[in-house]
């Protein structure tokens, strides 16, 4: 295959320094070679990943999230929607809830919050369909996204649930991408993931994990 991150490898590349990809270690010891983005992070673009990779990640996400005893999954757009329905199914749920960027005619302003992510420059609004409130009310809601990096998307998810009068039992992501998000993250909302990758910095030799 032309893209090394479409499958798992038994061993990482020698390094650091790394040239164009970072070896993210999986729970079973295998490695997913993720492309290094110019902003200095290892990228996981779920909509471009192979089905075997996605299904394996979802399986590990389910193992990590099961202890939180979630009763409903709320997926964040856009890439969180790749994992959320599969994770909900793996957890034994009959359905899930999708937050979205598109406002339908019956949506209510009170169930929306501003949102910005590390990979976009424009601010958008995150919306929750009021018809989905009965699925969420009185349930143990698990917030799901592809990665957590700066934490801006995840915090928008927290704000959206707060607008609906709810607080999630946790955040589940496929990858923790640096620890930039953690400084002011609420202590009562655990974050679980499959793998973690560091901030990277580049010199003439290649990419290195940044100090700290």
């Amino acid at each position: 295959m032309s893209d090394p991150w479409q499958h798992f490898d038994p061993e990482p590349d020698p390094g650091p320094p790394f040239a164009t990809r970072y070896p993210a270690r999986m729970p079973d010891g295998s490695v997913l070679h993720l492309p290094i983005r110019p902003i200095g992070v290892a990228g996981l673009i779920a909509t471009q990943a192979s089905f075997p990779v996605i299904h394996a990640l979802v399986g590990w996400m389910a193992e990590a999230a099961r202890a939180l005893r979630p009763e409903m999954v709320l997926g964040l757009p856009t890439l969180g929607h790749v994992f959320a329905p599969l994770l909900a199914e793996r957890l034994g749920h009959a359905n899930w809830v999708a937050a979205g960027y598109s406002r339908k005619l019956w949506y209510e302003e009170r169930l929306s919050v501003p949102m910005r992510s590390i990979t976009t420059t424009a601010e958008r609004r995150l919306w929750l369909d009021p018809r989905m409130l009965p699925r969420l009310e009185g349930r143990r809601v698990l917030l799901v996204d592809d990665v957590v990096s700066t934490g801006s998307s995840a915090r928008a998810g927290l704000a959206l649930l707060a607008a609906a009068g709810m607080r999630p039992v946790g955040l589940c992501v496929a990858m923790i991408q640096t620890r930039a998000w953690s400084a002011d993250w609420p202590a009562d909302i655990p974050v679980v993931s499959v793998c973690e990758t560091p901030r990277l910095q580049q010199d003439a030799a290649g990419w290195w994990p940044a100090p700290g």
Side-chain angles (χ1 to χ4, degrees):
M1 295 183 182
S2 58
D3 295 327
W5 57 285
Q6 298 297 297
H7 59 277
F8 299 99
D9 291 324
E11 294 295 334
D13 289 344
F18 305 108
T20 60
R21 59 187 193 175
Y22 179 84
R25 182 71 69 174
M26 299 295 111
D28 66 351
S30 64
V31 171
L32 190 60
H33 293 287
L34 299 173
I36 298 175
R37 305 302 184 193
I39 56 176
V41 297
L44 174 63
I45 307 299
T47 51
Q48 299 172 6
S50 68
F51 292 134
V53 165
I54 292 298
H55 285 288
L57 291 174
V58 167
W60 286 317
M61 290 170 74
E63 291 177 13
R66 212 175 297 277
L68 301 176
R69 297 181 291 111
E71 298 170 333
M72 181 56 62
V73 163
L74 175 67
L76 293 176
T78 300
L79 298 181
H81 288 182
V82 173
F83 295 104
L86 298 175
L87 177 58
E89 184 178 36
R90 187 68 67 95
L91 291 170
H93 301 173
N95 48 41
W96 66 296
V97 174
Y101 294 132
S102 175
R103 182 180 188 177
K104 308 303 180 185
L105 292 176
W106 60 89
Y107 283 16
E108 302 170 7
E109 193 75 29
R110 68 182 181 90
L111 293 177
S112 73
V113 295
M115 181 175 182
R116 186 190 300 270
S117 73
I118 188 175
T119 55
T120 61
T121 56
E123 184 176 274
R124 294 173 283 188
R125 293 197 72 78
L126 184 65
W127 297 87
L128 179 63
D129 187 339
R131 297 180 182 182
M132 292 294 100
L133 288 178
R135 287 190 184 182
L136 298 170
E137 291 170 340
R139 312 291 292 278
R140 294 177 61 83
V141 178
L142 179 67
L143 198 61
V144 173
D145 207 352
D146 59 333
V147 306
V148 59
S149 185
T150 64
S152 58
S153 297
R155 288 187 184 88
L158 297 182
L160 187 64
L161 282 171
M166 305 168 197
R167 195 163 181 82
V169 296
L171 169 68
C172 181
V173 296
M175 181 173 73
I176 291 176
Q177 189 183 61
T178 83
R179 284 276 164 174
W181 57 275
S182 63
D184 57 352
W185 183 259
D188 64 321
I189 301 179
V191 178
V192 296
S193 71
V194 174
C195 63
E196 183 168 353
T197 57
R199 171 72 63 181
L200 299 167
Q201 60 185 23
Q202 189 177 32
D203 62 16
W207 292 94
W208 304 77

